[in-house]
Amino acid sequence: MSSGQTAGTKDGQAIGPKVLGECIVEIVSDSGEGAQKAGQSFATVCAKMGNGVWTVEIIPAEIKPPARSRAGASGIRIRFGSRPMTNMGDYADLVVAFNEQVLYGRLLNDAYREGTVILLENKWASDPDEQIRDMYNSAVEDFRARGLIVHELPMHEACLEFVNDPKLGKNMFVLGMLSGIFDRDPSITRREIAAIFKKKGEAVIETNNKLFQGGIDFARKHLTYHFSVPPMSSKQELIVTNGNDAVGLGVMAAGMELVSMYPITPATSATHYLAGVFHKMGGFIHQAEDEIAAIGFAIGASYAGKTACTITSGPGLALKTEFIGLAVMAEVPLVIVDVQRGGPATGLPTKIEQGDLMAALYASPGDSPKIVMAAATIEECFHMVVTARQLAEMFRGPVIVLTDANLATGQTCYPRPKLSEDWMAPPLDQSPWPEGVAPYDWDPQTGLSRRPIPGQRGGQYVLTGLAHTKHSHVAYDPRSNQVGCEMRSRKIAALRSTLKPPKVHGDEEGDLLVVGWGSMLGAIEEAVDRLRAEGHRVSNVHLRFLSPLEPGLKEIFERFTRVMTVELNYSDPSGGFDGDWEGARRSHLCQHLRAQTLVDIDHWSVTPGQPLRPGQIYDVLKGRLEAIRSAEGSAVGAR
Amino acid sequence: MFGLKTDWSLETLPRYFTLEDYEGGTARWCPGCGDHGVLSAVQKICRDEQLVPEKTVCVSGIGCSSRFPHYMKTYGFHGLHGRALPVACGIKARRPDLTIWVATGDGDCCSIGAAHWVHAIRYNMDMVVMLFDNNVYGLTKNQTSPTSRPGLKTNTHPRGAVLPPLNPSETTLGIANVSFVAQTVDWNPVHVYATLRRAYHHKGLSFVRIFQRCPQYTPRVFEDAQRDPSLIMLLEHEDGVRADEAGTKIYKNRVAHDPRDLNKARELAAREDVLPIGLLYCDPTRPRYEEFSSVGVDVTIEEKMQALDKEIDRFAI
């Protein structure tokens, strides 16, 4: 949607219904005004009408930050279109704002461009407080000077027709406005409204339906924007979820019996979802007294033969470190989902960062080899939990699945999973333990062994976190410890031998290869595709397994002039401070890949607390490509 | 590899277990350590109750007494310092069929694992928690523990411990949903046996504080009570610990105490002039967490898949 130098109101030049390939809409408000609920509903309706959808929630760290504050901006971005959406895109096309100050919060995040249409609540212009009136008026002037197209609209006043306090209900009115502007099927939205307010009764549903219809009428009366966004051509059966719901569904599809957790943003909503439905599959959510107890409880259940999982975020992962080490040492299967947020310490609790990779790989005293995977899409949040459960059992140890705040709260549609019995944890094995088989009967090649479960007659052993022999007898001698370390490490090598090299997106060789992991996939690929369309020789690979690393990387890397990672975590400025390359701290994946492949891999990484826009990545890659070209040029010239 | 075999249920020969069936590796505690006596008592209880060895799990943290599981021939879990209780609770959560014994020390339970102690008492899951309280860190070589008395000279307080000690029984009796607290002394194996057996029969978390001496670092910590049995107060009740008379006849200081009386139990636990031994408190009606956490263990894979398929419909477009 790049139309609209005209005012777009009835008084101005009429703009007819226009077909758009895609569009980015935002709703921004103070916290507690329901912008996210309205946006999620709008996204669901778009998905149900067959659009590709991606949402990003804008969440302040506090429950009720001060009203009309820039840092308190709460809301949602919805990108939808006639093809699958894999990331949040660049700049918003149309924004509904409940006050002018929250818009500043978004401008700080560089979310808008010249020509972005702002539908702004105008009640502040006549606020009894002179200071508020002044703030409002000067902001509107400023927005227009920045090139935003601002429509000041009496949304609050219009809502008064239906409710006494528009703070509750304005969101459904806005849902109506967007529904009118984007030609959404009202019957689908009404079903959504009925589902949202089901527990509150018919009267509430009716009021919200009136607000919704009021919004449609209001948009028709005050605005001439009218667009249609045709559906994708997909014949597959699709579902819409966010990443945390996908994790929850994955837990159930894996047949797990127990999720043990402690509240932590942004992971908790996965257990909120599960808490409502897990019991239908016989499962139980344990809210432990702390993060350490949460993993200890899960390890206990797993030791006793019941498949368990713990879901956390960075600070929780830090607290669980010692227990993860025990699960490695004593070979207890366990799935740990880490929904990454900004760090260190409390960091950016509601915002995204890919800052836990090193901690997931290495944070443990001693040698602690474990499986680490990262979901690149919301769909993978589902499937990776299923796979992680199988790997944890098969490789008898902890598996860390990394997701992040972007995947956790973002919504998208993807093919409905076809459930399989093979995904499910098998029933408790209580058959007698074969005589003469040690509790760690390590296969000398793979390090794999079968584990006895309490209740199995003859399988009695004492699991210990101390160095031990294959009989689980405490052993402090040099050889036993070396063998134990080796057997645990062999399992990682055994898994690696079953993995395939990652697929290269784009040509198999070229000037620049971008390596990514986690939720950066969509934005990286979009940037790469734009550059390739312009004729640049750039490709990308995206890693799902970080431990063990997927095989064949060095071979792929060597086919490109330069290789770089693009990540959402901290690294020192290119070249290091004061040109000290040797001391420069690189981004996580870059450092890991350099160590493992000995390829001179470069990186670009930042910590803005929000997903990267494809346009940002495009600019960075373009700069690198130009540098490669000019270096090649001077090399040829020197010859 | 993990398939369910059903022939285990067809077993018809009755099994009889002897002490040997519960005896694991040779205990490596110091000679004279009270841990040996507690181990023997638990092995005897297992035999006398005919506990199925593979259905019995001993869980511990880290410390001298936490080596306990290694010396049993049951299943065992020797985990992390302070973390025996979350693991034990996790085992019980979905396996209420297992019998659980927890071995923990005064440092393990009351210091590094204090948060879990408080909450495990509140979860009240059916298990016996044996607190081996010798007033000192032994394995790490003589540091002050939360139950060390002021003046105890240790490597961390060479001029003597300074703070008043934490009283584990008194503390436990202050936690919501507490259901069983008893005390015993390691130098009276008859009473140790009777107390732990009574604890085993309680449905819920049975917290047993065992007053113990460390032969290396606190050998004289209960010297007064050992020399003068009148300093020991034997709690008596028909629902209490009913130790063999031969083993307790030296205790003349006997008090009738109804273990349902929580206030009286707290008063007794706080006594510093005497050592009350026996059952301080018992309420078998308290809710047990496994009553909630084990709901659904019998749901079949087929039922799970049907329910999940229906659940996914909610997200369908």
Side-chain angles (χ1 to χ4, degrees):
Chain A
M1 184 183 141
S2 51
S3 69
Q5 292 307 312
T6 51
T9 58
K10 286 278 188 200
D11 308 327
Q13 189 186 340
I15 298 166
K18 187 178 170 188
V19 175
L20 299 176
E22 67 160 276
C23 192
I24 300 175
V25 171
E26 284 190 6
I27 310 173
V28 234
S29 68
D30 283 337
S31 210
E33 293 188 300
Q36 281 142 12
K37 181 50 77 189
Q40 285 160 358
S41 304
F42 183 70
T44 307
V45 171
C46 290
K48 290 197 168 172
M49 289 181 70
N51 288 135
V53 174
W54 187 274
T55 70
V56 180
E57 295 196 359
I58 303 152
I59 313 171
E62 303 83 7
I63 296 171
K64 289 263 179 211
R68 296 174 43 79
S69 67
R70 295 179 183 194
S74 174
I76 188 164
R77 167 181 282 207
I78 308 113
R79 185 184 186 194
F80 60 110
S82 307
R83 58 184 176 84
M85 291 295 151
T86 62
N87 66 82
M88 71 165 187
D90 288 319
Y91 305 104
D93 299 305
L94 184 138
V95 180
V96 184
F98 288 24
N99 71 61
E100 79 289 350
Q101 292 304 313
V102 290
L103 280 177
Y104 275 112
R106 298 300 294 150
L107 284 167
L108 272 178
N109 280 315
D110 208 10
Y112 308 144
R113 58 167 163 79
E114 265 185 47
T116 297
V117 172
I118 310 284
L119 309 181
L120 179 61
E121 172 60 56
N122 76 353
K123 73 167 179 149
W124 313 105
S126 51
D127 197 274
D129 185 336
E130 192 190 337
Q131 205 185 342
I132 289 179
R133 291 198 303 272
D134 289 349
M135 282 168 84
Y136 176 83
N137 289 325
S138 67
V140 170
E141 204 173 305
D142 180 29
F143 295 153
R144 288 192 171 129
R146 290 169 185 247
L148 303 178
I149 300 167
V150 183
H151 300 287
E152 301 172 75
L153 297 170
M155 295 182 265
H156 181 90
E157 192 190 311
C159 287
L160 284 171
E161 192 184 320
F162 312 102
V163 281
N164 295 328
D165 178 11
K167 226 172 153 41
L168 302 169
K170 202 203 258 180
N171 63 338
M172 290 297 124
F173 184 84
V174 168
L175 180 59
M177 286 170 61
L178 293 175
S179 194
I181 292 169
F182 291 100
D183 218 18
R184 305 286 90 176
D185 180 346
S187 65
I188 299 177
T189 314
R190 286 203 187 91
R191 282 202 292 278
E192 283 300 306
I193 291 173
I196 295 168
F197 298 104
K198 198 168 108 190
K199 284 183 187 148
K200 300 204 168 162
E202 279 303 319
V204 174
I205 293 173
E206 194 42 45
T207 305
N208 281 286
N209 273 328
K210 281 186 185 151
L211 281 158
F212 169 65
Q213 187 58 49
I216 297 175
D217 298 343
F218 181 88
R220 289 212 180 109
K221 185 175 155 202
H222 290 274
L223 300 164
T224 54
Y225 296 121
H226 192 201
F227 303 105
S228 81
V229 182
M232 308 185 278
S233 50
S234 168
K235 292 197 177 70
Q236 269 177 310
E237 209 183 338
L238 300 177
I239 61 171
V240 189
T241 75
N242 65 30
N244 272 356
D245 288 352
V247 164
L249 288 167
V251 162
M252 294 186 283
M256 292 190 192
E257 285 197 27
L258 182 87
V259 170
S260 180
M261 54 77 71
Y262 182 80
I264 186 166
T265 305
T268 318
S269 66
T271 20
H272 290 178
Y273 165 63
L274 275 170
V277 297
F278 203 17
H279 60 279
K280 294 181 194 164
M281 290 90 199
F284 182 72
I285 305 264
H286 172 59
Q287 181 179 333
E289 60 268 27
D290 57 36
E291 292 279 0
I292 296 173
I295 185 171
F297 198 94
I299 285 177
S302 178
Y303 163 78
K306 298 294 189 168
T307 314
C309 157
T310 183
I311 304 176
T312 189
S313 187
L317 186 74
L319 285 164
K320 293 177 194 304
T321 302
E322 192 186 14
F323 256 128
I324 294 174
L326 177 70
V328 170
M329 179 60 129
E331 306 192 39
V332 183
L334 183 70
V335 176
I336 301 146
V337 179
D338 172 15
V339 185
Q340 298 169 97
R341 66 191 217 186
T346 311
L348 299 168
T350 60
K351 300 187 189 297
I352 180 191
E353 193 174 303
Q354 298 183 299
D356 295 354
L357 178 56
M358 285 300 179
L361 291 170
Y362 298 118
S364 190
D367 185 55
S368 177
K370 62 188 92 67
I371 298 169
V372 179
M373 307 157 79
T377 64
I378 288 168
E379 181 182 11
E380 284 180 10
C381 290
F382 173 92
H383 291 285
M384 255 186 205
V385 174
V386 173
T387 307
R389 204 276 309 157
Q390 292 167 322
L391 294 178
E393 284 290 344
M394 198 175 295
F395 291 87
R396 199 176 172 182
V399 178
I400 298 179
V401 176
L402 297 168
T403 75
D404 62 45
N406 186 26
L407 296 171
T409 57
Q411 285 198 77
T412 194
C413 35
Y414 54 90
R416 178 181 179 129
K418 291 182 181 61
L419 302 178
S420 160
E421 200 169 311
D422 298 338
W423 293 358
M424 293 256 168
L428 188 65
D429 184 357
Q430 294 285 271
S431 62
W433 184 255
E435 212 173 312
V437 175
Y440 296 97
D441 189 29
W442 294 307
D443 176 88
Q445 290 307 310
T446 62
L448 298 178
S449 58
R450 174 183 170 180
R451 91 190 156 110
I453 305 287
Q456 286 194 288
R457 183 174 171 181
Q460 291 99 301
Y461 76 112
V462 180
L463 176 149
T464 180
L466 284 166
H468 50 265
T469 64
K470 66 176 185 174
H471 298 289
S472 202
H473 294 157
V474 177
Y476 303 124
D477 65 285
R479 169 137 182 86
S480 295
N481 195 41
Q482 186 69 30
V483 168
C485 285
E486 187 188 312
M487 288 304 158
R488 294 188 290 274
S489 194
R490 274 186 182 274
K491 293 190 292 183
I492 303 299
L495 171 58
R496 184 175 144 95
S497 71
T498 69
L499 299 177
K500 288 180 191 151
K503 282 206 178 79
V504 178
H505 177 82
D507 287 342
E508 292 283 334
E509 55 178 53
D511 294 332
L512 180 64
L513 179 75
V514 182
V515 191
W517 65 285
S519 70
M520 299 289 296
L521 175 69
I524 290 176
E525 282 194 353
E526 193 165 323
V528 165
D529 287 344
R530 281 187 208 169
L531 287 159
R532 294 183 58 77
E534 292 171 14
H536 292 283
R537 286 161 41 82
V538 55
S539 304
N540 72 288
V541 291
H542 209 77
L543 303 181
R544 268 71 174 188
F545 279 90
L546 286 318
S547 170
L549 265 182
E550 290 162 40
L553 293 181
K554 190 168 182 165
E555 218 182 295
I556 297 171
F557 294 171
E558 282 171 346
R559 296 200 292 263
F560 290 83
T561 310
R562 292 296 292 166
V563 181
M564 70 182 292
T565 67
V566 171
E567 300 175 65
L568 262 181
N569 49 42
Y570 181 78
S571 58
D572 285 344
S574 189
F577 298 117
D578 308 323
D580 177 14
W581 261 116
E582 231 175 88
R585 297 175 59 248
R586 299 166 203 271
S587 61
H588 290 217
L589 182 61
C590 174
Q591 199 157 315
H592 188 49
L593 290 177
R594 287 174 72 93
Q596 292 297 111
T597 65
L598 291 180
V599 174
D600 184 13
I601 296 164
D602 203 353
H603 61 88
W604 183 79
S605 74
V606 284
T607 52
Q610 58 173 348
L612 290 179
R613 287 179 277 108
Q616 279 173 286
I617 301 172
Y618 169 92
D619 292 342
V620 169
L621 300 187
K622 196 161 184 184
R624 295 295 166 102
L625 284 160
E626 277 161 12
I628 292 166
R629 284 276 165 75
S630 65
E632 271 175 356
S634 58
V636 169
R639 232 171 256 156
Chain B
M1 190 165 174
F2 304 105
L4 179 71
K5 293 186 188 168
T6 49
D7 55 356
W8 61 275
S9 63
L10 301 175
E11 182 164 2
T12 49
L13 285 175
R15 296 161 73 192
Y16 180 78
F17 306 109
T18 64
L19 270 184
E20 217 177 46
D21 290 309
Y22 305 101
E23 289 168 357
T26 312
R28 291 160 56 89
W29 292 305
C30 303
C33 175
D35 293 356
H36 294 284
V38 179
L39 175 66
S40 305
V42 172
Q43 285 164 341
K44 276 185 202 145
I45 293 166
C46 288
R47 179 203 56 198
D48 296 346
E49 298 289 347
Q50 284 295 294
L51 299 184
V52 179
E54 68 265 22
K55 291 274 209 175
T56 306
V57 186
C58 297
V59 184
S60 66
I62 295 294
C64 286
S65 57
S66 288
R67 289 300 179 95
F68 190 95
H70 288 283
Y71 311 137
M72 296 285 292
K73 215 192 273 175
T74 61
Y75 277 90
F77 193 113
H78 176 211
L80 299 179
H81 195 27
R83 320 292 173 209
L85 288 167
V87 170
C89 292
I91 294 171
K92 193 74 181 177
R94 304 291 287 182
R95 292 295 305 274
D97 56 314
L98 300 173
T99 300
I100 297 180
W101 300 85
V102 177
T104 181
D106 39 311
D108 196 56
C109 176
C110 307
S111 198
I112 191 170
H116 311 312
W117 165 35
V118 171
H119 289 276
I121 296 299
R122 186 167 158 251
Y123 299 142
N124 190 36
M125 300 175 90
D126 189 18
M127 61 183 70
V128 180
V129 177
M130 302 174 284
L131 174 69
F132 295 70
D133 184 2
N134 61 5
N135 293 199
V136 78
Y137 283 77
L139 193 66
T140 49
K141 313 284 186 283
N142 196 25
Q143 294 84 22
T144 310
S145 108
T147 61
S148 298
R149 290 177 220 172
L152 181 75
K153 291 191 166 102
T154 67
N155 282 330
T156 41
H157 294 95
R159 290 170 295 286
V162 291
L163 289 174
L166 185 149
N167 180 325
S169 296
E170 197 188 1
T171 305
T172 303
L173 286 164
I175 299 167
N177 210 34
V178 58
S179 78
F180 186 104
V181 178
Q183 301 194 137
T184 187
V185 290
D186 77 336
W187 57 91
N188 188 329
V190 173
H191 195 266
V192 169
Y193 172 89
T195 307
L196 291 176
R197 194 162 181 188
R198 176 67 185 84
Y200 165 75
H201 279 286
H202 171 68
K203 266 274 189 205
L205 190 146
S206 314
F207 184 84
V208 181
R209 181 186 186 190
I210 305 166
F211 293 103
Q212 244 185 305
R213 300 149 300 162
C214 168
Q216 195 69 24
Y217 303 118
T218 56
R220 274 180 283 282
V221 65
F222 296 114
E223 203 172 35
D224 293 348
Q226 283 180 280
R227 279 205 194 131
D228 177 5
S230 73
L231 289 177
I232 287 188
M233 178 192 276
L234 189 71
L235 305 179
E236 291 184 313
H237 191 268
E238 58 175 4
D239 191 34
V241 171
R242 303 181 72 180
D244 189 80
E245 187 54 32
T248 54
K249 66 179 177 206
I250 50 162
Y251 302 131
K252 306 296 180 206
N253 184 0
R254 295 174 179 231
V255 169
H257 167 61
D258 179 356
R260 289 296 197 117
D261 188 342
L262 183 58
N263 286 331
K264 187 82 186 149
R266 285 172 177 162
E267 234 173 76
L268 287 166
R271 290 280 290 261
E272 287 178 359
D273 54 334
V274 290
L275 270 189
I277 64 169
L279 183 54
L280 282 164
Y281 181 67
C282 176
D283 179 0
T285 67
R286 305 306 310 173
R288 286 175 286 117
Y289 194 56
E290 71 265 25
E291 293 170 310
F292 311 97
S293 69
S294 66
V295 172
V297 285
D298 44 1
V299 174
T300 64
I301 287 181
E302 201 174 42
E303 288 167 335
K304 283 182 191 177
M305 288 191 45
Q306 278 172 2
L308 182 56
D309 206 46
K310 218 172 133 195
E311 174 58 23
I312 293 178
D313 285 344
R314 276 179 50 195
F315 298 94
I317 291 173

